[in-house]
Amino acid sequence: MINKIEQGRDEPPGPAVLAAGLNVRRGDRQVLRGLDFAVRAGEVTGLLGPSGCGKTTLMRAVVGAQDRVGGTLEVLGRPAGRAELRPRIGYVTQAPSVYPDLTVRQNLDYFAAILGLARGARRDEVGRVLADVDLTGHSDALAGNLSGGQRSRVSLAAALLGTPELLVLDEPTVGLDPVLRRSLWALFHRLAAERGTTLLISSHVMDEADRCDRLLLMRDGRLLADGTPDELRRRTGADSVEDAFLALVEADRDRTEPTGEPRR
Ligand SMILES: Nc1ncnc2c1ncn2[C@@H]1O[C@H](COP(=O)(O)OP(=O)(O)OP(=O)(O)O)[C@@H](O)[C@H]1O
Ligand SMILES: [Mg+2]
């Protein structure tokens, strides 16, 4: 696919992620069940739903880390999981992984080297992503001595190396204080606005929903609804996205469990 920067001004970019009838089995369970959705390029899309609904599984499928994926899943115009997509996608897992015995800068320099950046370019790039996540002052601290929130920002910085077109962030703000959460959301929007980055961000905190351009609401391996926060509120007559979500759950229950029998 042609990315946003290379594309003609008048041509709207294709979706960054396109799923049709997306299924995933894990163990003997059907964890994702026939999802259809598109993630628009250059926007911040929130993936919301309760614990266990399949957010991480969906993200793993998008970045190509999940096996037993069925249906259609296209990422940046290619089938998900293709090797050539790897440098174009940044992924931060739910449990951030950094090397505790290396400093913050050494961690990032190592990941930049894996990306194939030359030594000179690495220094600039590492400096840039450290500033992005506001960790410049901690660059020489051992990663093992950082707080949990600081460590998760090192993982985020690693995902920003090389300016990926698509950033997939699994609950990046969990456990962070409100000030830091706000500054990270500002960073996410800056990346979308200034670099044309597409961000897919999961959360189970509904009050983060309003910080997203668009939302995918999930429940129990299925997509309940998608749209802008305003659209979802309007569609359900609710005042908050949380209430909209609960209304959609109720409507879904009525549709799928008309007899009141528990669903398998
Ligand atoms: N390796 C596995 N084998 C079988 N089932 C699994 C496996 N990993 C996850 N699951 C199941 O898949 C479902 C979706 O899990 P997933 O981690 O995608 O949910 P989630 O929405 O990310 O939850 P959370 O908000 O707690 O992170 C859960 O019911 C979980 O029990
Ligand atoms: Mg998860």
Side-chain angles (χ1 to χ4, degrees), residues 52 54-57 94 170-171 202:
K55 301 181 296 296
T56 296
T57 305
Q94 208 164 344
D170 202 351
E171 309 216 19
S202 70

Side-chain angles (χ1 to χ4, degrees), residues 20-35 52-55 57-58 61 66-72 218-223 263-264:
L22 175 64
N23 287 294
V24 172
R25 281 193 80 79
R26 294 185 88 167
D28 57 2
R29 284 199 53 201
Q30 193 71 35
V31 172
L32 297 186
R33 301 185 280 157
L35 272 62
C53 72
K55 301 181 296 296
T57 305
L58 172 55
Q66 181 64 51
D67 55 6
R68 303 172 77 197
V69 178
T72 302
M218 279 184 76
R219 178 184 176 242
D220 202 11
R222 289 178 305 123
L223 198 64
R263 222 149 36 85
R264 279 193 307 121

